[in-house]
Amino acid sequence: MESGVEELMPRLLPVDDCDLPEDFDPTVPPRTPQEYLKRVQIEAARCPDVVVAQIDPKKLRKKQTVNISISGCQPAPEGYCPTLQWQQQQVANFSAIRQSLNKHRNHWQSQLLDSNVTMPKPDDEEGWKKFCLGERVYSEIDALSATESLGIDYIKVGFPPLLSIVSRMNQATVTSVLEYLINWFGEKKFTPELGRWLYALLACLEKPLLPEAHSLIRQLARRCSEVRVLEENKNEEQISALNLIICLVSRYFDQRDLADEP
């Protein structure tokens, strides 16, 4: 090794020069301690002083750093902030629903699904969006045709979060589907179909929350607060639904810094 490198990396043990046979081959396993130490010296001398990593830019684009805001929710529009009594009542109702779901989960799991219900695989993000929201919302079609209004086509309007469906979803699937729908909500408008599924998935989340679920529900509450501020027509039913989700995230799941304070 060069003297400059030796100054930065001093030898821990002294190594004396040794006489090696003329047929010494550093590529074969060492037979003596001297041959081993000599081989280490040769390999160290061959190492370059500077090593540059070969980075594939395409892989970096897929794993960009995400900046997560730690701020709270935006205040409700004037006149639309829920009262503390209303919030407490919603938490009590939600708690009762969760207890009932856990108590009867085995019963609902045993119920046969209708022949037209095919649950997507857990990692099928687009499949779950279509399953929950329906092709009409997924494709952003504003109205149903006259023939479609004669009956319910769940492929088009989305499957409701029936107990026989959500009871079959383990925690990993619940978290994944919740993430898919929150990602959707991050760029799209709030719809009743979305609201029903968000409520049902929150009811299925087990406490204590896993870190990824904790991050997701905080993201959801912030998004709800943004949407209700931007609500132009101040639709009371929609704002009430957004208030409900913020209430459950903040007061049932103990994210108190996100709560609406009357």
Side-chain angles (χ1 to χ4, degrees):
M1 298 178 66
E2 297 180 1
S3 59
V5 177
E6 289 186 355
E7 291 177 0
L8 294 175
M9 302 176 61
R11 296 180 180 181
L12 296 179
L13 296 173
V15 180
D16 297 329
D17 294 334
C18 58
D19 295 330
L20 297 174
E22 295 181 358
D23 61 347
F24 171 69
D25 184 357
T27 61
V28 299
R31 293 167 295 182
T32 65
Q34 291 79 11
E35 290 184 1
Y36 170 77
L37 294 174
K38 188 64 177 179
R39 181 176 178 180
V40 171
Q41 290 178 327
I42 294 173
E43 291 178 352
R46 291 175 179 173
C47 292
D49 295 337
V50 179
V51 178
V52 179
Q54 300 297 321
I55 299 175
D56 186 354
K58 295 180 180 179
K59 294 182 178 179
L60 287 180
R61 295 192 194 103
K62 296 180 180 179
K63 298 183 178 181
Q64 294 291 327
T65 301
V66 178
N67 295 320
I68 301 177
S69 172
I70 59 174
S71 61
C73 289
Q74 297 186 31
E78 185 175 356
Y80 290 91
C81 184
T83 65
L84 181 58
Q85 182 180 4
W86 182 87
Q87 295 183 66
Q88 292 172 339
Q89 184 61 53
Q90 301 311 313
V91 169
N93 295 342
F94 183 69
S95 179
I97 289 174
R98 283 172 59 90
Q99 291 176 12
S100 178
L101 176 60
N102 290 330
K103 182 178 180 180
H104 301 290
R105 183 179 297 275
N106 291 336
H107 166 75
W108 288 110
Q109 282 179 344
S110 65
Q111 300 302 302
L112 294 176
L113 295 175
D114 291 342
S115 58
N116 65 332
V117 180
T118 303
M119 296 174 62
K121 295 182 179 179
D123 59 351
D124 184 3
E125 180 170 355
E126 300 306 312
W128 274 108
K129 289 176 182 176
K130 292 179 181 178
F131 182 87
C132 299
L133 306 175
E135 292 183 352
R136 181 173 62 86
V137 172
Y138 181 82
S139 303
E140 298 183 288
I141 300 173
D142 292 332
L144 296 173
S145 66
T147 56
E148 290 173 346
S149 62
L150 297 177
I152 299 176
D153 184 346
Y154 288 116
I155 300 298
K156 288 185 170 57
V157 302
F159 289 90
L162 302 174
L163 291 174
S164 57
I165 293 177
V166 297
S167 295
R168 285 174 162 79
M169 300 168 65
N170 59 29
Q171 282 300 288
T173 303
V174 169
T175 304
S176 295
V177 177
L178 185 61
E179 180 179 8
Y180 301 153
L181 296 183
I182 291 174
N183 289 341
W184 168 270
F185 186 31
E187 300 177 354
K188 307 293 184 179
K189 62 184 180 180
F190 185 84
T191 65
E193 296 86 354
L194 177 63
R196 285 192 290 268
W197 269 97
L198 290 175
Y199 188 94
L201 292 171
L202 289 176
C204 292
L205 274 183
E206 295 179 358
K207 296 176 72 175
L209 295 175
L210 295 174
E212 54 267 32
H214 177 271
S215 176
L216 281 172
I217 64 171
R218 290 183 63 85
Q219 179 183 342
L220 172 60
R222 293 194 190 98
R223 177 57 180 164
C224 288
S225 73
E226 294 172 359
V227 172
R228 72 180 177 182
V229 169
L230 298 174
E231 175 65 29
E232 296 179 356
N233 300 324
K234 294 297 180 286
N235 183 310
E236 291 189 12
E237 184 176 346
Q238 178 156 309
I239 291 182
S240 179
L242 296 169
N243 286 346
L244 174 58
I245 294 174
I246 295 172
C247 167
L248 298 179
V249 170
S250 61
R251 298 194 181 273
Y252 183 85
F253 291 103
D254 302 317
Q255 308 303 307
R256 295 304 176 92
D257 60 307
L258 303 179
D260 286 316
E261 299 294 348

